[in-house]
């Protein structure tokens, strides 16, 4: 009689149980890592969106065949968009990007820095004019700063993107967006 090599039913049961336990332990860690990656991707995409809009304005890129009167980076709690406005005030959506993360998005702007001087406006609209010499946040020139806060409980992380209408350059901040 030949001896067959193989696994017993008990050995297979133990191996499957161990694999299940390891997968159960790794799943939350992987999920948190994925949430962190999505938050970082959204943060970078937001910075790129504002920079792209600024580049389009500096290049005086056409808006549906006409030179744009202004370019707009629009951020809402559900998506980011690039828009342009023609001389006749026709607004055209060029591109829209949904958020990848399940982060809570807070959009705020401030005229004067200091505690309690921030207010929310949905959607946050950053207007950049051809030549790139002026930017406007919202509907007036009053707001000096805008910030976009992405807070992901699933990732245990928060990102703050600051934008100053004076410099027109967005940046990530660990504090609350100030004049440095």
């Amino acid at each position: 009689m030949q001896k067959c090599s193989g696994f017993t039913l008990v050995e297979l049961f133990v191996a499957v149980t161990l694999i299940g336990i390891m997968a159960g332990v790794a799943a939350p860690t992987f999920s948190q890592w994925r949430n962190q990656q999505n938050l970082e991707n959204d943060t970078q995409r937001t910075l790129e969106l504002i920079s792209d809009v600024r580049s389009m304005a500096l290049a005086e890129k056409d808006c549906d065949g006409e030179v744009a009167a202004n370019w707009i980076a629009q951020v809402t709690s559900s998506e980011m968009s690039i828009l342009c406005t023609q001389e006749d005030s026709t607004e055209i959506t060029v591109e829209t990007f949904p958020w990848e993360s399940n982060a809570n998005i807070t959009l705020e702007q401030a005229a004067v820095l200091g505690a309690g001087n921030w207010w929310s406006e949905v959607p946050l609209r950053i207007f950049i004019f051809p030549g790139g010499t002026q930017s406007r946040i919202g509907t007036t020139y009053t707001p000096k700063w805008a910030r976009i806060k992405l807070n992901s409980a699933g990732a245990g992380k928060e990102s703050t993107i600051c934008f100053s209408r004076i410099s027109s350059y967005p940046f990530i901040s660990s504090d609350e967006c100030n004049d440095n």
Side-chain angles (χ1 to χ4, degrees):
M1 195 162 137
Q2 252 184 351
K3 187 167 182 166
C4 294
S5 62
F7 298 106
T8 66
L9 189 56
V10 172
E11 290 172 328
L12 285 173
F13 179 72
V14 169
V16 168
T17 302
L18 288 174
I19 290 171
I21 290 170
M22 290 189 313
V25 169
T29 305
F30 177 74
S31 177
Q32 185 176 12
W33 174 81
R34 191 180 72 231
N35 287 337
Q36 287 177 348
Q37 288 302 113
N38 287 342
L39 183 70
E40 288 176 20
N41 289 344
D42 280 344
T43 302
Q44 289 304 315
R45 285 177 46 193
T46 305
L47 290 170
E48 290 169 9
L49 174 96
I50 298 170
S51 293
D52 288 350
V53 169
R54 187 174 186 279
S55 296
M56 290 173 176
L58 284 169
E60 297 185 2
K61 190 174 176 199
D62 284 354
C63 172
D64 199 31
E66 294 181 22
V67 173
N70 62 53
W71 287 89
I72 305 164
Q74 178 172 285
V75 181
T76 68
S77 58
S78 60
E79 64 188 17
M80 303 171 278
S81 303
I82 296 175
L83 300 98
C84 61
T85 305
Q86 295 177 331
E87 289 295 330
D88 65 358
S89 299
T90 304
E91 202 169 87
I92 297 167
T93 302
V94 177
E95 247 179 305
T96 299
F97 310 95
W99 295 103
E100 286 181 10
S101 66
N102 58 353
N104 179 28
I105 312 296
T106 306
L107 310 166
E108 299 172 315
Q109 50 190 298
V112 179
L113 292 178
N117 289 333
W118 290 89
W119 71 93
S120 298
E121 180 178 310
V122 176
L124 174 64
R125 300 182 75 166
I126 299 170
F127 295 79
I128 302 176
F129 301 95
T133 56
Q134 297 177 337
S135 296
R136 187 175 79 211
I137 300 168
T139 56
T140 67
Y141 284 94
T142 305
K144 182 176 179 183
W145 285 87
R147 68 181 172 205
I148 303 163
K149 288 185 175 182
L150 295 89
N151 185 344
S152 177
K157 195 171 181 182
E158 179 178 284
S159 290
T160 301
I161 300 169
C162 302
F163 179 83
S164 166
R165 72 173 171 86
I166 307 302
S167 69
S168 298
Y169 287 102
F171 61 92
I172 298 173
S173 176
S174 58
D175 58 18
E176 295 297 316
C177 306
N178 56 31
D179 279 321
N180 345 359

